[in-house]
Amino acid sequence: MAIERTFSILKPDATRRNLSGAINAMIEAAGLRIVAQKRVLMTRPQAETFYAVHKDRPFFAELVATMTAGPVVVQVLEGEDAIRRYREVLGATDPAKADPGTVRKKFALSISENSAHGSDSPETAAIEIEQFFSGNEIVG
Ligand code: ATP
Ligand code: MG
């Protein structure tokens, strides 16, 4: 299995409750390496672009409001099968359906405030990483 990179966001509900370190520990325990990381306030246009695929969904306005409600930590994670592996670490989108031991089961407050994001394919990972990091900010 190839070494991949995936894009992660520790969402405002996580930073607000000081959970960045706890989630990073779960990321590292899963064998993923944090090769880039910064704390930023997402602007509304950034959030709208990032989640543009959902722009016609009924929850879009709530999603953009949630993502801009406070600081986020954007990250690039590297490792074997990183995209699938990180989504396993996160668990299902809805915390009520997430497996025990996952980030969302442990920490998510709701389907909207679900603590972290992970890319869902190599194509989206590349696009998402490029939205927040330049090449020399990623050090593997
Ligand atoms: P993410 O893209 O954040 O990693 P995901 O891939 O598990 O999550 P998506 O279907 O891509 O899930 O939804 C993107 C985000 O939109 C979810 O993480 C969640 O915050 C929000 N969302 C999804 N469905 C709903 C819903 N029914 N009500 C409110 N918010 C939702
Ligand atoms: Mg998604």
Side-chain angles (χ1 to χ4, degrees):
M1 182 53 77
I3 299 290
E4 285 178 338
R5 285 179 173 172
T6 191
F7 181 72
S8 161
I9 304 177
L10 310 185
K11 296 186 180 185
D13 73 272
T15 62
R16 187 174 76 233
R17 289 176 291 150
N18 229 11
L19 293 171
S20 310
I23 297 173
N24 278 353
M26 292 172 72
I27 289 169
E28 293 183 338
L32 297 168
R33 187 174 298 275
I34 301 164
V35 295
Q37 173 169 260
K38 60 189 173 188
R39 183 172 167 104
V40 299
L41 254 183
M42 258 201 209
T43 64
R44 168 172 285 273
Q46 271 178 323
E48 287 173 349
T49 300
F50 186 79
Y51 279 123
V53 65
H54 296 307
K55 67 179 186 329
D56 297 324
R57 307 283 284 278
F59 58 81
F60 185 66
E62 180 187 352
L63 177 56
V64 171
T66 302
M67 294 303 291
T68 56
V72 299
V73 177
V74 291
Q75 305 174 310
V76 181
L77 311 181
E78 187 177 85
E80 259 189 35
D81 201 14
I83 293 165
R84 190 191 56 80
R85 190 179 291 198
Y86 187 45
R87 286 179 70 88
E88 272 180 21
V89 171
L90 292 181
T93 310
D94 179 353
K97 297 180 183 150
D99 287 338
T102 61
V103 167
R104 286 166 171 167
K105 184 66 171 189
K106 274 183 139 155
F107 299 129
L109 299 173
S110 65
I111 191 165
S112 158
E113 290 193 299
N114 64 355
S115 302
H117 158 82
S119 307
D120 58 13
S121 73
E123 294 72 28
T124 54
I127 291 166
E128 291 173 2
I129 289 169
E130 202 169 73
Q131 281 176 38
F132 289 92
F133 291 100
S134 59
N136 65 2
E137 291 178 305
I138 304 169
V139 184

